[in-house]
Amino acid sequence: MQIEKLIGLFTGGILFFLSALHVYWAFGGKLTSVAVIPETNGKPTFVPGRGLTLLVALVLFAFGAVALWVSGNIFSPNRTSAIFSLLISLIFIGRAIGDFRLVGYFKKIKNTKFAKYDYLLYSPVCILLGASYLYLGWRSF
């Protein structure tokens, strides 16, 4: 199997899992041991509603489908899939860099539970996903 197909399956798998996790949260599921919302002064900076959480789930699912498309696992990759892939890579790399306040490697607020998970898990996963999409998009262009 080509490396592109393996990267596409891996990337799509991560995003399909994250999409399913958002659907779980949208319908009341809880993960109390993991902080997934940035916080200030011990309180979440926002509380996403069901609609927003489902929208994020849909976007993550679509991103996963693009990974399968651009890698040739479903349909044939083409210029459109390459452009989508490159744009998605910018989104994930941008997320890893952050907003310079609450999320990403360059955040100012670093002493929260979320900040710890962001530094050790969320931002590295975004770098990995961004690099995967960059590679797949570049190879398909």
Side-chain angles (χ1 to χ4, degrees), residues 1 6 11 20 22 30 35 50 70 77 86 105 108 110 113-114 118 129 133:
M1 183 177 277
L6 288 174
T11 303
H22 279 77
K30 304 279 185 225
R50 179 177 289 169
V70 74
L86 294 172
Y105 282 120
K108 288 182 183 167
K110 298 181 180 192
K113 188 174 181 181
F114 171 83
D118 188 43
L129 292 171
Y133 279 103

Side-chain angles (χ1 to χ4, degrees), residues 5 7 19 26 31-32 70 108 114 121 125:
K5 289 191 180 220
I7 291 171
S19 176
L31 285 178
T32 56
V70 74
K108 288 182 183 167
F114 171 83
L121 180 62
V125 167

Side-chain angles (χ1 to χ4, degrees), residues 10-110:
F10 178 75
T11 303
I14 289 173
L15 288 159
F16 294 143
F17 169 76
L18 292 174
S19 176
L21 190 58
H22 279 77
V23 171
Y24 170 74
W25 288 332
F27 291 100
K30 304 279 185 225
L31 285 178
T32 56
S33 64
V34 179
V36 294
I37 302 289
E39 54 198 67
T40 55
N41 301 323
K43 303 225 185 238
T45 55
F46 68 99
V47 179
R50 179 177 289 169
L52 179 60
T53 306
L54 288 172
L55 178 62
V56 170
L58 180 64
V59 169
L60 292 171
F61 187 87
F63 284 5
V66 169
L68 296 181
W69 178 20
V70 74
S71 62
N73 283 297
I74 58 171
F75 311 118
S76 293
N78 57 30
R79 187 171 295 268
T80 302
S81 67
I83 290 169
F84 280 145
S85 184
L86 294 172
L87 290 173
I88 293 169
S89 77
L90 293 176
I91 292 168
F92 281 114
I93 292 168
R95 165 53 183 87
I97 292 169
D99 66 354
F100 301 101
R101 183 168 176 261
L102 295 170
V103 299
Y105 282 120
F106 298 101
K107 64 185 159 291
K108 288 182 183 167
I109 299 174
K110 298 181 180 192

